[in-house]
mmCIF file of all heavy atoms in Angstrom:
data_model
loop_
_atom_site.group_PDB
_atom_site.id
_atom_site.type_symbol
_atom_site.label_atom_id
_atom_site.label_comp_id
_atom_site.label_asym_id
_atom_site.label_seq_id
_atom_site.Cartn_x
_atom_site.Cartn_y
_atom_site.Cartn_z
ATOM 1 N N VAL A 45 122.814 -108.136 -227.288
ATOM 2 C CA VAL A 45 122.804 -109.594 -227.153
ATOM 3 C C VAL A 45 123.507 -110.201 -228.365
ATOM 4 O O VAL A 45 123.049 -110.055 -229.496
ATOM 5 C CB VAL A 45 121.365 -110.133 -227.061
ATOM 6 C CG1 VAL A 45 121.368 -111.655 -227.026
ATOM 7 C CG2 VAL A 45 120.669 -109.575 -225.819
ATOM 8 N N LEU A 46 124.618 -110.868 -228.123
ATOM 9 C CA LEU A 46 125.371 -111.495 -229.204
ATOM 10 C C LEU A 46 124.825 -112.897 -229.473
ATOM 11 O O LEU A 46 124.355 -113.565 -228.552
ATOM 12 C CB LEU A 46 126.847 -111.586 -228.833
ATOM 13 C CG LEU A 46 127.538 -110.263 -228.484
ATOM 14 C CD1 LEU A 46 129.001 -110.525 -228.129
ATOM 15 C CD2 LEU A 46 127.436 -109.269 -229.632
ATOM 16 N N PRO A 47 124.881 -113.354 -230.714
ATOM 17 C CA PRO A 47 124.437 -114.718 -231.011
ATOM 18 C C PRO A 47 125.199 -115.713 -230.145
ATOM 19 O O PRO A 47 126.431 -115.640 -230.061
ATOM 20 C CB PRO A 47 124.778 -114.892 -232.495
ATOM 21 C CG PRO A 47 124.795 -113.499 -233.039
ATOM 22 C CD PRO A 47 125.338 -112.647 -231.934
ATOM 23 N N PRO A 48 124.504 -116.612 -229.477
ATOM 24 C CA PRO A 48 125.200 -117.564 -228.604
ATOM 25 C C PRO A 48 126.007 -118.593 -229.385
ATOM 26 O O PRO A 48 125.599 -119.050 -230.455
ATOM 27 C CB PRO A 48 124.051 -118.242 -227.829
ATOM 28 C CG PRO A 48 122.853 -118.074 -228.699
ATOM 29 C CD PRO A 48 123.043 -116.764 -229.403
ATOM 30 N N ILE A 49 127.152 -118.940 -228.849
ATOM 31 C CA ILE A 49 127.980 -119.991 -229.432
ATOM 32 C C ILE A 49 127.342 -121.339 -229.118
ATOM 33 O O ILE A 49 126.961 -121.612 -227.974
ATOM 34 C CB ILE A 49 129.411 -119.928 -228.875
ATOM 35 C CG1 ILE A 49 130.117 -118.669 -229.392
ATOM 36 C CG2 ILE A 49 130.208 -121.170 -229.268
ATOM 37 C CD1 ILE A 49 131.503 -118.453 -228.802
ATOM 38 N N ASN A 50 127.219 -122.178 -230.116
ATOM 39 C CA ASN A 50 126.560 -123.468 -229.969
ATOM 40 C C ASN A 50 127.589 -124.581 -229.827
ATOM 41 O O ASN A 50 128.266 -124.939 -230.782
ATOM 42 C CB ASN A 50 125.653 -123.725 -231.181
ATOM 43 C CG ASN A 50 124.927 -125.057 -231.097
ATOM 44 O OD1 ASN A 50 124.814 -125.645 -230.027
ATOM 45 N ND2 ASN A 50 124.455 -125.527 -232.231
ATOM 46 N N ASN A 51 127.679 -125.145 -228.629
ATOM 47 C CA ASN A 51 128.595 -126.253 -228.388
ATOM 48 C C ASN A 51 127.864 -127.594 -228.378
ATOM 49 O O ASN A 51 128.282 -128.534 -227.692
ATOM 50 C CB ASN A 51 129.339 -126.053 -227.063
ATOM 51 C CG ASN A 51 130.356 -124.935 -227.135
ATOM 52 O OD1 ASN A 51 130.824 -124.583 -228.211
ATOM 53 N ND2 ASN A 51 130.705 -124.366 -225.992
ATOM 54 N N THR A 52 126.756 -127.673 -229.118
ATOM 55 C CA THR A 52 125.983 -128.912 -229.220
ATOM 56 C C THR A 52 125.845 -129.304 -230.689
ATOM 57 O O THR A 52 126.096 -128.476 -231.580
ATOM 58 C CB THR A 52 124.572 -128.736 -228.620
ATOM 59 O OG1 THR A 52 123.721 -128.059 -229.570
ATOM 60 C CG2 THR A 52 124.618 -127.928 -227.328
ATOM 61 N N PRO A 53 125.396 -130.514 -230.969
ATOM 62 C CA PRO A 53 125.226 -130.939 -232.366
ATOM 63 C C PRO A 53 123.967 -130.356 -233.018
ATOM 64 O O PRO A 53 123.812 -130.466 -234.235
ATOM 65 C CB PRO A 53 125.105 -132.471 -232.259
ATOM 66 C CG PRO A 53 125.572 -132.833 -230.893
ATOM 67 C CD PRO A 53 125.261 -131.660 -230.044
ATOM 68 N N GLU A 54 123.073 -129.765 -232.244
ATOM 69 C CA GLU A 54 121.803 -129.281 -232.762
ATOM 70 C C GLU A 54 121.976 -127.930 -233.464
ATOM 71 O O GLU A 54 122.282 -126.922 -232.820
ATOM 72 C CB GLU A 54 120.784 -129.153 -231.623
ATOM 73 C CG GLU A 54 119.418 -128.638 -232.043
ATOM 74 C CD GLU A 54 118.842 -129.444 -233.189
ATOM 75 O OE1 GLU A 54 118.491 -130.608 -232.972
ATOM 76 O OE2 GLU A 54 118.756 -128.872 -234.301
ATOM 77 N N ILE A 55 121.761 -127.908 -234.766
ATOM 78 C CA ILE A 55 122.015 -126.698 -235.550
ATOM 79 C C ILE A 55 121.016 -125.577 -235.254
ATOM 80 O O ILE A 55 121.281 -124.415 -235.549
ATOM 81 C CB ILE A 55 122.010 -127.006 -237.060
ATOM 82 C CG1 ILE A 55 120.641 -127.560 -237.493
ATOM 83 C CG2 ILE A 55 123.119 -127.978 -237.412
ATOM 84 C CD1 ILE A 55 120.527 -127.769 -238.994
ATOM 85 N N LYS A 56 119.862 -125.921 -234.680
ATOM 86 C CA LYS A 56 118.837 -124.911 -234.404
ATOM 87 C C LYS A 56 119.065 -124.179 -233.086
ATOM 88 O O LYS A 56 118.354 -123.224 -232.777
ATOM 89 C CB LYS A 56 117.454 -125.566 -234.377
ATOM 90 C CG LYS A 56 117.017 -126.161 -235.691
ATOM 91 C CD LYS A 56 115.672 -126.855 -235.574
ATOM 92 C CE LYS A 56 115.777 -128.162 -234.837
ATOM 93 N NZ LYS A 56 114.528 -128.949 -234.873
ATOM 94 N N ALA A 57 120.033 -124.617 -232.309
ATOM 95 C CA ALA A 57 120.198 -124.109 -230.951
ATOM 96 C C ALA A 57 120.455 -122.601 -230.889
ATOM 97 O O ALA A 57 119.848 -121.886 -230.092
ATOM 98 C CB ALA A 57 121.320 -124.869 -230.246
ATOM 99 N N THR A 58 121.360 -122.102 -231.719
ATOM 100 C CA THR A 58 121.718 -120.680 -231.659
ATOM 101 C C THR A 58 120.522 -119.782 -231.928
ATOM 102 O O THR A 58 120.224 -118.864 -231.146
ATOM 103 C CB THR A 58 122.840 -120.365 -232.674
ATOM 104 O OG1 THR A 58 124.045 -121.015 -232.256
ATOM 105 C CG2 THR A 58 123.093 -118.862 -232.743
ATOM 106 N N ASP A 59 119.813 -120.030 -233.031
ATOM 107 C CA ASP A 59 118.657 -119.188 -233.373
ATOM 108 C C ASP A 59 117.550 -119.319 -232.341
ATOM 109 O O ASP A 59 116.859 -118.342 -232.032
ATOM 110 C CB ASP A 59 118.122 -119.562 -234.758
ATOM 111 C CG ASP A 59 119.052 -119.128 -235.876
ATOM 112 O OD1 ASP A 59 119.893 -118.244 -235.637
ATOM 113 O OD2 ASP A 59 118.948 -119.685 -236.988
ATOM 114 N N SER A 60 117.364 -120.520 -231.814
ATOM 115 C CA SER A 60 116.315 -120.746 -230.818
ATOM 116 C C SER A 60 116.564 -119.939 -229.556
ATOM 117 O O SER A 60 115.668 -119.275 -229.032
ATOM 118 C CB SER A 60 116.235 -122.237 -230.483
ATOM 119 O OG SER A 60 115.219 -122.484 -229.529
ATOM 120 N N MET A 61 117.793 -119.982 -229.049
ATOM 121 C CA MET A 61 118.132 -119.225 -227.847
ATOM 122 C C MET A 61 118.119 -117.730 -228.114
ATOM 123 O O MET A 61 117.570 -116.949 -227.331
ATOM 124 C CB MET A 61 119.509 -119.644 -227.333
ATOM 125 C CG MET A 61 119.543 -120.953 -226.571
ATOM 126 S SD MET A 61 118.779 -120.865 -224.921
ATOM 127 C CE MET A 61 119.935 -119.793 -224.060
ATOM 128 N N LEU A 62 118.717 -117.319 -229.232
ATOM 129 C CA LEU A 62 118.822 -115.894 -229.547
ATOM 130 C C LEU A 62 117.453 -115.233 -229.622
ATOM 131 O O LEU A 62 117.285 -114.094 -229.173
ATOM 132 C CB LEU A 62 119.572 -115.713 -230.868
ATOM 133 C CG LEU A 62 119.787 -114.274 -231.350
ATOM 134 C CD1 LEU A 62 120.609 -113.489 -230.326
ATOM 135 C CD2 LEU A 62 120.480 -114.269 -232.706
ATOM 136 N N SER A 63 116.481 -115.933 -230.164
ATOM 137 C CA SER A 63 115.145 -115.363 -230.325
ATOM 138 C C SER A 63 114.409 -115.174 -229.010
ATOM 139 O O SER A 63 113.390 -114.483 -228.957
ATOM 140 C CB SER A 63 114.303 -116.263 -231.244
ATOM 141 O OG SER A 63 114.028 -117.513 -230.629
ATOM 142 N N GLN A 64 114.941 -115.752 -227.921
ATOM 143 C CA GLN A 64 114.220 -115.700 -226.644
ATOM 144 C C GLN A 64 115.008 -115.047 -225.504
ATOM 145 O O GLN A 64 114.515 -114.959 -224.383
ATOM 146 C CB GLN A 64 113.816 -117.119 -226.229
ATOM 147 C CG GLN A 64 112.932 -117.802 -227.270
ATOM 148 C CD GLN A 64 112.463 -119.171 -226.833
ATOM 149 O OE1 GLN A 64 111.472 -119.305 -226.117
ATOM 150 N NE2 GLN A 64 113.177 -120.198 -227.256
ATOM 151 N N MET A 65 116.217 -114.569 -225.787
ATOM 152 C CA MET A 65 117.039 -113.997 -224.726
ATOM 153 C C MET A 65 116.743 -112.530 -224.450
ATOM 154 O O MET A 65 117.038 -112.026 -223.358
ATOM 155 C CB MET A 65 118.523 -114.167 -225.055
ATOM 156 C CG MET A 65 118.991 -115.610 -225.026
ATOM 157 S SD MET A 65 120.795 -115.784 -225.049
ATOM 158 C CE MET A 65 121.220 -114.945 -226.561
ATOM 159 N N THR A 66 116.178 -111.830 -225.411
ATOM 160 C CA THR A 66 115.941 -110.400 -225.194
ATOM 161 C C THR A 66 114.794 -110.144 -224.231
ATOM 162 O O THR A 66 114.811 -109.143 -223.502
ATOM 163 C CB THR A 66 115.645 -109.686 -226.531
ATOM 164 O OG1 THR A 66 114.488 -110.274 -227.132
ATOM 165 C CG2 THR A 66 116.818 -109.800 -227.475
ATOM 166 N N HIS A 67 113.801 -111.016 -224.219
ATOM 167 C CA HIS A 67 112.612 -110.795 -223.391
ATOM 168 C C HIS A 67 112.920 -110.634 -221.901
ATOM 169 O O HIS A 67 112.504 -109.636 -221.285
ATOM 170 C CB HIS A 67 111.601 -111.923 -223.597
ATOM 171 C CG HIS A 67 110.384 -111.803 -222.734
ATOM 172 N ND1 HIS A 67 110.258 -112.469 -221.522
ATOM 173 C CD2 HIS A 67 109.245 -111.072 -222.872
ATOM 174 C CE1 HIS A 67 109.090 -112.159 -220.974
ATOM 175 N NE2 HIS A 67 108.467 -111.318 -221.773
ATOM 176 N N VAL A 79 117.483 -107.573 -232.132
ATOM 177 C CA VAL A 79 118.275 -108.656 -232.724
ATOM 178 C C VAL A 79 118.405 -108.493 -234.238
ATOM 179 O O VAL A 79 119.478 -108.707 -234.810
ATOM 180 C CB VAL A 79 117.647 -110.025 -232.384
ATOM 181 C CG1 VAL A 79 118.298 -111.136 -233.199
ATOM 182 C CG2 VAL A 79 117.787 -110.317 -230.898
ATOM 183 N N ALA A 80 117.319 -108.099 -234.906
ATOM 184 C CA ALA A 80 117.353 -107.939 -236.365
ATOM 185 C C ALA A 80 118.339 -106.852 -236.784
ATOM 186 O O ALA A 80 119.067 -107.001 -237.777
ATOM 187 C CB ALA A 80 115.959 -107.613 -236.891
ATOM 188 N N ALA A 82 120.979 -105.806 -235.037
ATOM 189 C CA ALA A 82 122.332 -106.287 -234.761
ATOM 190 C C ALA A 82 122.786 -107.299 -235.816
ATOM 191 O O ALA A 82 123.924 -107.245 -236.296
ATOM 192 C CB ALA A 82 122.385 -106.912 -233.372
ATOM 193 N N SER A 83 121.882 -108.208 -236.182
ATOM 194 C CA SER A 83 122.218 -109.237 -237.168
ATOM 195 C C SER A 83 122.600 -108.619 -238.508
ATOM 196 O O SER A 83 123.563 -109.046 -239.157
ATOM 197 C CB SER A 83 121.043 -110.197 -237.355
ATOM 198 O OG SER A 83 120.759 -110.888 -236.152
ATOM 199 N N GLU A 84 121.860 -107.602 -238.933
ATOM 200 C CA GLU A 84 122.150 -106.936 -240.197
ATOM 201 C C GLU A 84 123.499 -106.225 -240.144
ATOM 202 O O GLU A 84 124.284 -106.275 -241.110
ATOM 203 C CB GLU A 84 121.044 -105.938 -240.520
ATOM 204 C CG GLU A 84 121.222 -105.210 -241.843
ATOM 205 C CD GLU A 84 121.240 -106.133 -243.042
ATOM 206 O OE1 GLU A 84 120.623 -107.219 -242.963
ATOM 207 O OE2 GLU A 84 121.870 -105.786 -244.062
ATOM 208 N N PHE A 86 126.047 -107.025 -238.278
ATOM 209 C CA PHE A 86 127.112 -108.034 -238.307
ATOM 210 C C PHE A 86 127.354 -108.529 -239.737
ATOM 211 O O PHE A 86 128.502 -108.690 -240.166
ATOM 212 C CB PHE A 86 126.751 -109.213 -237.392
ATOM 213 C CG PHE A 86 126.813 -108.884 -235.926
ATOM 214 C CD1 PHE A 86 125.786 -109.267 -235.067
ATOM 215 C CD2 PHE A 86 127.895 -108.203 -235.407
ATOM 216 C CE1 PHE A 86 125.845 -108.970 -233.719
ATOM 217 C CE2 PHE A 86 127.977 -107.894 -234.046
ATOM 218 C CZ PHE A 86 126.932 -108.283 -233.207
ATOM 219 N N ARG A 87 126.276 -108.772 -240.477
ATOM 220 C CA ARG A 87 126.415 -109.232 -241.863
ATOM 221 C C ARG A 87 127.137 -108.199 -242.720
ATOM 222 O O ARG A 87 127.979 -108.543 -243.552
ATOM 223 C CB ARG A 87 125.038 -109.548 -242.452
ATOM 224 C CG ARG A 87 124.470 -110.899 -242.028
ATOM 225 C CD ARG A 87 123.286 -111.282 -242.887
ATOM 226 N NE ARG A 87 122.162 -110.385 -242.694
ATOM 227 C CZ ARG A 87 121.200 -110.567 -241.813
ATOM 228 N NH1 ARG A 87 121.233 -111.635 -241.008
ATOM 229 N NH2 ARG A 87 120.204 -109.718 -241.710
ATOM 230 N N LEU A 91 130.564 -110.550 -240.636
ATOM 231 C CA LEU A 91 130.551 -111.461 -239.493
ATOM 232 C C LEU A 91 129.286 -112.322 -239.570
ATOM 233 O O LEU A 91 128.180 -111.829 -239.390
ATOM 234 C CB LEU A 91 130.575 -110.666 -238.184
ATOM 235 C CG LEU A 91 131.791 -109.761 -237.993
ATOM 236 C CD1 LEU A 91 131.582 -108.822 -236.811
ATOM 237 C CD2 LEU A 91 133.050 -110.607 -237.787
ATOM 238 N N ASN A 92 129.467 -113.619 -239.795
ATOM 239 C CA ASN A 92 128.323 -114.493 -240.039
ATOM 240 C C ASN A 92 128.162 -115.633 -239.043
ATOM 241 O O ASN A 92 127.165 -116.347 -239.084
ATOM 242 C CB ASN A 92 128.418 -115.078 -241.457
ATOM 243 C CG ASN A 92 128.386 -113.999 -242.522
ATOM 244 O OD1 ASN A 92 127.473 -113.190 -242.572
ATOM 245 N ND2 ASN A 92 129.413 -113.990 -243.380
ATOM 246 N N THR A 93 129.130 -115.828 -238.173
ATOM 247 C CA THR A 93 129.024 -116.908 -237.186
ATOM 248 C C THR A 93 129.128 -116.343 -235.771
ATOM 249 O O THR A 93 129.733 -115.288 -235.543
ATOM 250 C CB THR A 93 130.129 -117.957 -237.374
ATOM 251 O OG1 THR A 93 131.408 -117.383 -237.020
ATOM 252 C CG2 THR A 93 130.173 -118.437 -238.827
ATOM 253 N N ALA A 94 128.546 -117.074 -234.835
ATOM 254 C CA ALA A 94 128.573 -116.635 -233.436
ATOM 255 C C ALA A 94 130.005 -116.553 -232.913
ATOM 256 O O ALA A 94 130.353 -115.637 -232.155
ATOM 257 C CB ALA A 94 127.750 -117.599 -232.580
ATOM 258 N N ASP A 95 130.844 -117.495 -233.325
ATOM 259 C CA ASP A 95 132.238 -117.484 -232.865
ATOM 260 C C ASP A 95 132.963 -116.223 -233.336
ATOM 261 O O ASP A 95 133.691 -115.592 -232.558
ATOM 262 C CB ASP A 95 132.971 -118.722 -233.389
ATOM 263 C CG ASP A 95 132.449 -119.999 -232.775
ATOM 264 O OD1 ASP A 95 131.499 -120.571 -233.333
ATOM 265 O OD2 ASP A 95 132.983 -120.411 -231.739
ATOM 266 N N ILE A 97 131.580 -113.358 -234.209
ATOM 267 C CA ILE A 97 130.971 -112.177 -233.592
ATOM 268 C C ILE A 97 131.445 -112.006 -232.154
ATOM 269 O O ILE A 97 131.787 -110.895 -231.724
ATOM 270 C CB ILE A 97 129.435 -112.284 -233.651
ATOM 271 C CG1 ILE A 97 128.955 -112.167 -235.107
ATOM 272 C CG2 ILE A 97 128.772 -111.217 -232.788
ATOM 273 C CD1 ILE A 97 127.494 -112.486 -235.301
ATOM 274 N N GLN A 98 131.492 -113.103 -231.417
ATOM 275 C CA GLN A 98 131.919 -112.998 -230.021
ATOM 276 C C GLN A 98 133.411 -112.712 -229.889
ATOM 277 O O GLN A 98 133.890 -112.346 -228.811
ATOM 278 C CB GLN A 98 131.545 -114.267 -229.259
ATOM 279 C CG GLN A 98 130.047 -114.435 -229.048
ATOM 280 C CD GLN A 98 129.703 -115.342 -227.872
ATOM 281 O OE1 GLN A 98 130.533 -115.592 -226.994
ATOM 282 N NE2 GLN A 98 128.469 -115.812 -227.835
ATOM 283 N N VAL A 117 126.896 -115.618 -224.579
ATOM 284 C CA VAL A 117 126.290 -116.865 -224.120
ATOM 285 C C VAL A 117 126.855 -118.049 -224.894
ATOM 286 O O VAL A 117 127.108 -117.956 -226.095
ATOM 287 C CB VAL A 117 124.752 -116.822 -224.265
ATOM 288 C CG1 VAL A 117 124.125 -118.194 -224.031
ATOM 289 C CG2 VAL A 117 124.150 -115.817 -223.302
ATOM 290 N N LYS A 118 127.037 -119.168 -224.204
ATOM 291 C CA LYS A 118 127.409 -120.430 -224.831
ATOM 292 C C LYS A 118 126.356 -121.473 -224.475
ATOM 293 O O LYS A 118 125.988 -121.613 -223.304
ATOM 294 C CB LYS A 118 128.784 -120.899 -224.350
ATOM 295 C CG LYS A 118 129.944 -120.054 -224.843
ATOM 296 C CD LYS A 118 131.277 -120.633 -224.384
ATOM 297 C CE LYS A 118 132.443 -119.788 -224.883
ATOM 298 N NZ LYS A 118 133.748 -120.341 -224.434
ATOM 299 N N ILE A 119 125.876 -122.180 -225.482
ATOM 300 C CA ILE A 119 124.899 -123.246 -225.267
ATOM 301 C C ILE A 119 125.666 -124.549 -225.084
ATOM 302 O O ILE A 119 126.424 -124.967 -225.957
ATOM 303 C CB ILE A 119 123.939 -123.368 -226.459
ATOM 304 C CG1 ILE A 119 123.263 -122.026 -226.734
ATOM 305 C CG2 ILE A 119 122.889 -124.448 -226.193
ATOM 306 C CD1 ILE A 119 122.527 -121.977 -228.052
ATOM 307 N N GLU A 121 124.077 -127.510 -223.893
ATOM 308 C CA GLU A 121 123.176 -128.664 -224.038
ATOM 309 C C GLU A 121 121.906 -128.196 -224.725
ATOM 310 O O GLU A 121 121.358 -127.150 -224.386
ATOM 311 C CB GLU A 121 122.866 -129.254 -222.656
ATOM 312 C CG GLU A 121 122.100 -130.549 -222.665
ATOM 313 C CD GLU A 121 121.892 -131.112 -221.260
ATOM 314 O OE1 GLU A 121 122.293 -130.429 -220.283
ATOM 315 O OE2 GLU A 121 121.322 -132.208 -221.142
ATOM 316 N N TYR A 122 121.432 -128.961 -225.693
ATOM 317 C CA TYR A 122 120.205 -128.587 -226.390
ATOM 318 C C TYR A 122 119.576 -129.807 -227.056
ATOM 319 O O TYR A 122 120.252 -130.521 -227.799
ATOM 320 C CB TYR A 122 120.475 -127.529 -227.455
ATOM 321 C CG TYR A 122 119.215 -126.969 -228.093
ATOM 322 C CD1 TYR A 122 118.722 -125.721 -227.719
ATOM 323 C CD2 TYR A 122 118.526 -127.684 -229.060
ATOM 324 C CE1 TYR A 122 117.559 -125.210 -228.289
ATOM 325 C CE2 TYR A 122 117.370 -127.185 -229.631
ATOM 326 C CZ TYR A 122 116.887 -125.949 -229.246
ATOM 327 O OH TYR A 122 115.735 -125.452 -229.806
ATOM 328 N N VAL A 135 117.928 -128.036 -222.098
ATOM 329 C CA VAL A 135 118.711 -126.932 -222.648
ATOM 330 C C VAL A 135 119.512 -126.309 -221.509
ATOM 331 O O VAL A 135 118.954 -125.988 -220.462
ATOM 332 C CB VAL A 135 117.819 -125.859 -223.303
ATOM 333 C CG1 VAL A 135 118.677 -124.680 -223.786
ATOM 334 C CG2 VAL A 135 117.038 -126.450 -224.472
ATOM 335 N N ASP A 188 110.365 -130.323 -231.928
ATOM 336 C CA ASP A 188 111.389 -129.392 -231.446
ATOM 337 C C ASP A 188 110.995 -128.770 -230.112
ATOM 338 O O ASP A 188 110.907 -127.560 -229.959
ATOM 339 C CB ASP A 188 111.652 -128.280 -232.468
ATOM 340 C CG ASP A 188 112.825 -127.391 -232.048
ATOM 341 O OD1 ASP A 188 113.678 -127.862 -231.288
ATOM 342 O OD2 ASP A 188 112.867 -126.219 -232.477
ATOM 343 N N GLY A 190 112.804 -128.592 -227.782
ATOM 344 C CA GLY A 190 113.975 -127.880 -227.285
ATOM 345 C C GLY A 190 113.771 -126.378 -227.300
ATOM 346 O O GLY A 190 114.306 -125.663 -226.448
ATOM 347 N N HIS A 191 112.988 -125.868 -228.252
ATOM 348 C CA HIS A 191 112.727 -124.431 -228.334
ATOM 349 C C HIS A 191 112.004 -123.930 -227.092
ATOM 350 O O HIS A 191 112.294 -122.846 -226.582
ATOM 351 C CB HIS A 191 111.900 -124.123 -229.579
ATOM 352 C CG HIS A 191 111.679 -122.656 -229.809
ATOM 353 N ND1 HIS A 191 112.687 -121.803 -230.207
ATOM 354 C CD2 HIS A 191 110.565 -121.882 -229.668
ATOM 355 C CE1 HIS A 191 112.210 -120.565 -230.320
ATOM 356 N NE2 HIS A 191 110.936 -120.602 -230.004
ATOM 357 N N THR A 192 111.058 -124.729 -226.597
ATOM 358 C CA THR A 192 110.337 -124.360 -225.371
ATOM 359 C C THR A 192 111.293 -124.274 -224.195
ATOM 360 O O THR A 192 111.254 -123.320 -223.413
ATOM 361 C CB THR A 192 109.241 -125.394 -225.068
ATOM 362 O OG1 THR A 192 108.285 -125.393 -226.126
ATOM 363 C CG2 THR A 192 108.535 -125.064 -223.752
ATOM 364 N N TYR A 193 112.176 -125.261 -224.073
ATOM 365 C CA TYR A 193 113.102 -125.271 -222.947
ATOM 366 C C TYR A 193 114.213 -124.237 -223.112
ATOM 367 O O TYR A 193 114.793 -123.784 -222.124
ATOM 368 C CB TYR A 193 113.652 -126.683 -222.730
ATOM 369 C CG TYR A 193 112.588 -127.585 -222.145
ATOM 370 C CD1 TYR A 193 111.790 -128.364 -222.969
ATOM 371 C CD2 TYR A 193 112.333 -127.603 -220.776
ATOM 372 C CE1 TYR A 193 110.771 -129.154 -222.449
ATOM 373 C CE2 TYR A 193 111.328 -128.380 -220.251
ATOM 374 C CZ TYR A 193 110.548 -129.158 -221.089
ATOM 375 O OH TYR A 193 109.528 -129.920 -220.563
ATOM 376 N N ALA A 194 114.492 -123.838 -224.341
ATOM 377 C CA ALA A 194 115.433 -122.741 -224.558
ATOM 378 C C ALA A 194 114.860 -121.459 -223.962
ATOM 379 O O ALA A 194 115.594 -120.633 -223.393
ATOM 380 C CB ALA A 194 115.700 -122.560 -226.045
ATOM 381 N N GLY A 195 113.546 -121.283 -224.098
ATOM 382 C CA GLY A 195 112.897 -120.116 -223.507
ATOM 383 C C GLY A 195 112.948 -120.148 -221.991
ATOM 384 O O GLY A 195 113.181 -119.126 -221.338
ATOM 385 N N SER A 198 116.462 -119.389 -220.876
ATOM 386 C CA SER A 198 116.733 -117.963 -221.049
ATOM 387 C C SER A 198 116.139 -117.153 -219.905
ATOM 388 O O SER A 198 116.775 -116.230 -219.377
ATOM 389 C CB SER A 198 116.154 -117.482 -222.389
ATOM 390 O OG SER A 198 116.793 -118.099 -223.481
#
Side-chain angles (χ1 to χ4, degrees):
V45 176
L46 303 180
I49 291 175
N50 180 18
N51 289 337
T52 79
E54 179 53 69
I55 61 175
K56 296 177 286 188
T58 292
D59 289 341
S60 181
M61 282 288 292
L62 181 61
S63 67
Q64 301 183 84
M65 292 193 302
T66 59
H67 177 264
V79 169
S83 297
E84 182 61 27
F86 289 134
R87 281 193 294 269
L91 300 169
N92 299 305
T93 69
D95 293 89
I97 292 170
Q98 291 203 19
V117 170
K118 290 183 180 180
I119 305 168
E121 188 177 4
Y122 187 102
V135 176
D188 186 24
H191 185 71
T192 297
Y193 288 93
S198 295

